């Protein structure tokens, strides 16, 4: 019996892909590294530093740890500035309706995201009030596919993973959910992944599962 649902943020509740893309693109241009949406897609669900490693490897550029820190900070400053333009309109009505209906049915809801900017995004998108717990990049030491971010979310809710489902759009997130003993629900790219327990095409399909 599912008592709680833990949602990945980016690609599930909303998409900041384009804002990440614009911020990484400026930084990559400064480093003379070719960067396009195909490379950007490889960064979904990946931590900030791991994203930078992928970009540097793609461009064949080697930086010292200090230089990497400086570049990651520059990217994040640009990204956070762009988040200030974000409004509640970034969230589809179907997402709000589904979250409201799930809460009405007595389910606990949480967010499990790699992003250290999760709380800012939830505030800007006017989503914070739907959730009983938030586990994000600020409270983990290991990124997805490690289950840590979801295990922390379940612990914050005071529930065992066996009564929680995780909704993810990234393969690494599905592996994290499965590794932690959660029911994995896949949307978008993750709906076509062989290890996903339950594929869905729209978030509202959750209402038929609980
Ligand atoms: C994930 C995004 O939600 O957060 C990734 O899908 C991003 O693209 C990661 O790199 C880390 O985000 P932040 O906000 O901590 O730089
Ligand atoms: Mg995602």
């Amino acid at each position: 019996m599912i008592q709680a649902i833990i949602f990945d943020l980016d690609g599930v509740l909303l998409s900041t892909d384009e804002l990440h893309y614009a911020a990484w693109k400026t930084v990559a241009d400064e480093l003379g590294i070719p960067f396009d949406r195909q490379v950007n897609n490889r960064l979904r669900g990946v931590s900030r530093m791991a994203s930078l490693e992928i970009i540097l490897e793609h461009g064949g550029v080697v930086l010292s740890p200090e230089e990497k820190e400086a570049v990651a900070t520059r990217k994040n400053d640009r990204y956070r500035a762009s988040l200030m333009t974000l409004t509640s309109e970034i969230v589809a009505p179907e997402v709000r309706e589904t979250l409201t209906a799930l809460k009405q049915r007595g389910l606990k809801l949480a967010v499990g995201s790699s992003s250290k900017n999760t709380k800012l995004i939830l505030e800007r998108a006017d989503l914070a009030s739907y959730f009983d717990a938030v586990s994000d990049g600020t409270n983990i030491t290991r990124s997805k596919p490690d289950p840590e971010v979801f295990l922390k979310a379940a612990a914050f809710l005071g529930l065992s993973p066996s009564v929680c489902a995780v909704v993810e759009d990234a393969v690494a997130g599905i592996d994290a959910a499965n590794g932690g003993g959660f029911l994995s629900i896949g949307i978008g790219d993750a709906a076509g992944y062989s290890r996903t327990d339950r594929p869905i095409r729209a978030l509202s399909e959750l209402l038929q599962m609980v």
Side-chain angles (χ1 to χ4, degrees):
M1 179 71 179
I2 292 300
Q3 295 177 27
I5 303 185
I6 304 168
F7 294 85
D8 171 49
L9 177 63
D10 257 319
V12 172
L13 297 174
L14 47 79
S15 174
T16 59
D17 266 9
E18 279 303 304
L19 303 181
H20 278 296
Y21 173 73
W24 279 127
K25 173 87 178 123
T26 314
V27 164
D29 284 351
E30 284 164 9
L31 291 167
I33 296 176
F35 187 72
D36 55 24
R37 285 188 171 73
Q38 234 176 326
V39 183
N40 194 56
N41 278 347
R42 289 171 53 199
L43 312 181
R44 280 163 63 197
V46 177
S47 74
R48 194 180 309 159
M49 233 354 139
S51 297
L52 177 58
E53 297 289 357
I54 291 171
I55 293 167
L56 293 176
E57 198 196 315
H58 175 71
V61 171
V62 177
L63 297 180
S64 68
E66 295 74 26
E67 287 168 328
K68 284 181 194 170
E69 274 302 330
V71 172
T73 301
R74 259 195 340 264
K75 183 268 172 177
N76 194 49
D77 288 347
R78 285 180 199 284
Y79 178 60
R80 281 180 74 89
S82 70
L83 287 177
M84 294 306 163
T85 66
L86 196 145
T87 68
S88 59
E89 281 172 31
I90 195 160
V91 181
E94 184 224 357
V95 171
R96 284 189 201 281
E97 284 156 21
T98 304
L99 295 175
T100 302
L102 290 170
K103 277 181 85 71
Q104 277 167 355
R105 291 185 190 186
L107 276 115
K108 295 268 178 226
L109 306 183
V111 172
S113 167
S114 312
S115 173
K116 293 182 174 165
N117 294 301
T118 296
K119 293 192 177 84
L120 174 63
I121 296 169
L122 292 176
E123 291 298 334
R124 297 287 326 170
D126 195 20
L127 274 179
S129 61
Y130 293 93
F131 298 101
D132 303 288
V134 175
S135 172
D136 65 17
T138 63
N139 61 250
I140 55 169
T141 53
R142 296 177 301 278
S143 266
K144 300 168 190 176
D146 190 287
E148 186 181 10
V149 74
F150 297 136
L151 291 173
K152 288 264 167 66
F156 293 159
L157 292 171
L159 292 171
S160 143
S162 61
V163 295
C164 302
V166 166
V167 187
E168 259 291 348
D169 70 311
V171 162
I174 294 291
D175 288 341
N178 292 343
F182 298 87
L183 176 76
S184 61
I185 301 175
I187 194 165
D189 284 356
Y193 182 41
S194 59
R195 297 208 167 120
T196 296
D197 293 324
R198 307 268 181 91
I200 56 172
R201 278 156 302 148
L203 220 58
S204 55
E205 288 179 38
L206 290 175
L207 299 171
Q208 294 151 29
M209 284 183 195
V210 292

